[in-house]
């Protein structure tokens, strides 16, 4: 594309996963990008694609919910809105537990029959594996998330129907039985309600049961690709803004910064080891994918924003406390503004090619306040006692945990 373009550039957004923490991080980072880039409204881009937590955020943007509104929803209820509580992702899957209990006697009997009747190749461990079919296929229920989005998208001016959206929205999941991508919003799959598609895209195996849609079962789309940016690029976008919160941590500086005693992730147990493993696999796949995009989509510009590998605040934060949600959003907002400022020489020419520009008053203001500029606090005088209350509540949380 030449620098002197006579047509308006087509702009897309691609959002990766990352669970509840990733969703909050993306909201804070998107707010920073929204304020820092002049000439584009993130609710009016041409195409959006989201996977997992990114499906949740992108579906809200496609429905006209501004980045400021999403920021406010993290910590309070806007008039007529429900607040975004990460606890939505942690509702126990009681139906799965009950199904498992009901099936346990049957599979126990089959395991016993297999052991007794198999004289030539008798193995108690082989027989016991039959009992694995009684294990729940998910610990948590994703139905509350679907209901939350269904109610939210049912409000005036919004829709739960892909076909009625003004921007194109694609939500990516993985077909469990075929192992292939399922792109909801494309022809033939655009009849599925957006809320149902997001539920499927966030169904990480082991944590959430697969989601049944038209007789097939779907799980988290991050199993196949990290960002699914090609879905947007195939629509002919001239510029695509990508957000990826899933980055492995490098603990080399963690001891000096007071986050760890020895800098060894194994000290923090299996959940941390699994998290680092998952992040490493996802991130390496993202790197390889972007290298391919540079060749295949040479006429398109990609701008990627993600945390650094020394971002210990992001890696070690418990997102399920109120104060932590605020902390992650603020951290993402500030880090993204600082990233834009550092990369201004790289970003400015690319943005200008598409009729956009950086707002230097935003990116050069180290005291810029996420909450104030999102309309959460009406004045600094009113904000001060609320901040003191937030500090007191955060301290109380630490004492009680």
């Amino acid at each position: 594309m030449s620098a002197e373009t006579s047509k308006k550039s087509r702009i897309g957004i691609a959002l990766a996963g990352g669970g509840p923490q990733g969703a909050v991080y993306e909201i804070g980072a998107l707010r920073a990008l929204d304020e820092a880039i002049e000439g584009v409204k993130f609710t009016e881009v041409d195409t959006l694609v989201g996977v997992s937590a990114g499906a949740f955020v992108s579906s809200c943007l496609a429905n006209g919910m501004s980045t400021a509104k999403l920021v406010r929803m993290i910590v309070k209820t806007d008039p007529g809105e429900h607040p975004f509580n990460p606890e939505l992702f942690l509702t126990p899957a009681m139906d799965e537990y009950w199904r498992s209990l009901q099936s346990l006697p049957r599979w126990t009997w089959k395991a016993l029959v297999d052991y007794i009747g198999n004289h030539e190749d008798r193995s108690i461990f082989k027989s016991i594996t039959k009992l694995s079919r009684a294990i729940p296929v998910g610990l948590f229920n994703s139905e509350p998330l679907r209901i939350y989005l269904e109610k939210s998208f049912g409000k005036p001016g919004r829709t739960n129907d892909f076909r009625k959206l003004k921007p194109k929205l694609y939500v990516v999941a993985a077909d469990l039985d075929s192992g292939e991508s399922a792109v909801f919003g494309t022809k033939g799959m655009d009849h599925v309600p957006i809320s149902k598609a997001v539920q499927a895209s966030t169904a990480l195996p082991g944590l959430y049961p697969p989601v049944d849609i038209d007789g097939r079962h779907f799980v988290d789309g991050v199993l196949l690709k990290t960002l699914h940016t090609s879905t947007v690029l195939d629509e002919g976008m001239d510029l695509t803004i990508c957000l990826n919160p899933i980055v492995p941590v490098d603990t080399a500086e963690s001891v000096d910064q007071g986050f760890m005693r020895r800098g060894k992730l194994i000290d923090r147990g299996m959940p941390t080891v699994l998290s680092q493993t998952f992040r490493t696999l996802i991130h390496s796949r993202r790197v390889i994918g972007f290298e391919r995009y540079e060749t295949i989509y040479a006429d398109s510009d990609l701008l990627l924003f993600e945390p650094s590998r020394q971002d210990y605040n992001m890696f070690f934060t418990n997102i399920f406390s109120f104060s932590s949600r605020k902390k992650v959003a603020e951290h993402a907002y500030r880090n993204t503004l600082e990233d834009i400022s550092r990369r201004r020489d790289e970003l400015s020419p690319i943005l200008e090619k598409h009729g956009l520009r950086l707002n230097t008053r935003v990116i050069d203001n180290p005291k810029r306040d996420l909450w104030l500029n999102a309309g959460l606090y009406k004045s600094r005088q009113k904000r001060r006692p609320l901040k003191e209350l937030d500090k007191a509540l955060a301290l109380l949380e630490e004492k009680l945990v």
Side-chain angles (χ1 to χ4, degrees):
M1 180 185 297
S2 63
E4 298 296 329
T5 178
S6 59
K7 68 182 183 68
K8 182 180 178 181
S9 291
R10 291 168 56 80
I11 299 174
I13 291 177
L15 302 180
Q21 186 183 48
V24 174
Y25 186 94
E26 287 180 341
I27 289 170
L30 282 168
R31 183 57 187 165
L33 290 165
D34 197 3
E35 292 182 7
I37 301 176
E38 294 183 333
V40 59
K41 289 184 178 180
F42 282 26
T43 55
E44 298 177 4
V45 297
D46 296 279
T47 306
L48 302 99
V49 62
V51 57
S52 194
F56 170 86
V57 179
S58 62
S59 64
C60 291
L61 289 175
N63 260 291
M65 300 169 71
S66 68
T67 58
K69 176 177 281 293
L70 293 178
V71 166
R72 294 193 297 269
M73 286 170 56
I74 294 174
V75 295
K76 62 168 277 186
T77 305
D78 262 9
E81 295 285 357
H82 297 290
F84 168 62
N85 292 319
E87 290 82 358
L88 283 170
F89 292 86
L90 289 180
T91 303
M94 300 307 297
D95 288 347
E96 274 298 308
Y97 300 158
W98 178 241
R99 180 196 65 79
S100 295
L101 285 173
Q102 286 181 312
S103 66
L104 186 58
R106 176 164 58 97
W107 290 113
T108 301
W109 172 252
K110 288 191 174 185
L112 182 61
V113 170
D114 179 82
Y115 180 74
I116 295 173
N118 197 341
H119 300 287
E120 297 181 358
D121 188 23
R122 178 177 294 175
S123 169
I124 189 171
F125 295 105
K126 177 183 175 183
S127 299
I128 287 177
T129 55
K130 290 185 177 294
L131 290 175
S132 65
R133 300 189 186 186
I135 297 175
V137 294
L139 298 177
F140 304 111
N141 185 7
S142 60
E143 187 66 8
L145 175 64
R146 185 198 65 77
I147 294 172
Y148 171 89
L149 289 175
E150 184 178 61
K151 290 180 179 178
S152 180
F153 297 160
K155 295 184 181 298
R158 302 176 192 169
T159 180
N160 201 25
D161 189 332
F162 283 100
R163 297 163 295 189
K164 295 181 180 179
L165 288 171
K166 184 175 181 181
K168 289 186 178 179
L169 170 67
Y170 299 111
V171 170
V172 185
D175 188 317
L176 182 64
D177 295 307
S178 70
E180 297 180 352
S181 293
V183 185
F184 297 101
T186 57
K187 190 173 182 180
M189 301 195 76
D190 52 2
H191 66 287
V192 177
I194 297 171
S195 57
K196 190 76 172 181
V198 173
Q199 181 188 15
S201 183
T202 56
L204 186 64
L207 292 182
Y208 303 98
V211 176
D212 187 337
I213 299 177
D214 296 339
R216 297 192 68 85
H217 292 90
F218 298 90
V219 295
D220 198 322
V222 80
L223 298 182
L224 298 171
K225 290 183 181 179
T226 305
L227 274 159
H228 291 268
T229 310
S230 59
T231 305
V232 173
L233 294 172
D234 286 340
E235 290 291 326
M237 297 301 104
D238 301 303
L239 172 67
T240 302
I241 298 172
C242 308
L243 265 178
N244 172 41
I246 312 174
V247 176
V249 68
D250 180 351
T251 63
E253 301 175 13
S254 62
V255 177
D256 292 339
Q257 295 190 27
F259 282 89
M260 302 180 71
R261 291 182 180 179
R262 297 195 311 144
K264 306 294 184 183
L265 289 178
I266 197 170
D267 293 343
R268 305 180 73 93
M270 182 180 290
T272 299
V273 172
L274 290 177
S275 175
Q276 178 76 336
T277 302
F278 177 76
R279 287 167 176 265
T280 302
L281 290 171
I282 295 298
H283 191 256
S284 62
R285 194 174 59 187
R286 197 280 301 160
V287 172
I288 294 171
F290 267 59
E291 290 175 352
R292 291 179 59 251
Y293 294 156
E294 291 177 0
T295 302
I296 300 173
Y297 304 99
D299 294 332
S300 299
D301 288 314
L302 288 176
L303 295 180
L304 173 67
F305 299 90
E306 59 185 13
S308 75
R309 297 186 63 172
Q310 288 75 37
D311 194 338
Y312 306 121
N313 283 310
M314 181 66 177
F315 190 85
F316 295 116
T317 296
N318 173 19
I319 190 62
F320 293 102
S321 70
F322 173 78
S323 60
S324 293
R325 295 203 294 274
K326 292 191 63 179
K327 180 180 177 182
V328 168
E330 289 173 342
H331 179 70
Y333 176 78
R334 177 51 49 197
N335 272 18
T336 304
L337 287 180
E338 291 174 356
D339 186 27
I340 295 170
S341 181
R342 284 192 301 268
R343 296 167 57 189
R344 71 177 71 200
D345 291 341
E346 167 205 346
L347 299 176
S348 290
I350 297 174
L351 293 172
E352 288 173 5
K353 183 164 60 171
H354 301 287
L356 312 176
R357 66 170 184 162
L358 291 177
N359 187 332
T360 55
R361 290 177 300 174
V362 171
I363 63 176
D364 290 335
N365 182 1
K367 296 183 179 180
R368 193 164 182 86
D369 188 286
L370 168 64
W371 312 109
L372 183 66
N373 291 292
L376 187 59
Y377 304 127
K378 298 299 182 183
S379 69
R380 293 189 178 273
Q381 289 73 25
K382 186 175 180 179
R383 181 183 54 161
R384 182 169 298 174
L386 289 175
K387 288 188 71 174
E388 294 300 321
L389 177 60
D390 288 343
K391 289 180 181 179
L393 290 173
L395 181 61
L396 179 61
E397 280 181 347
E398 291 178 4
K399 298 296 183 184
L400 292 176
V401 173

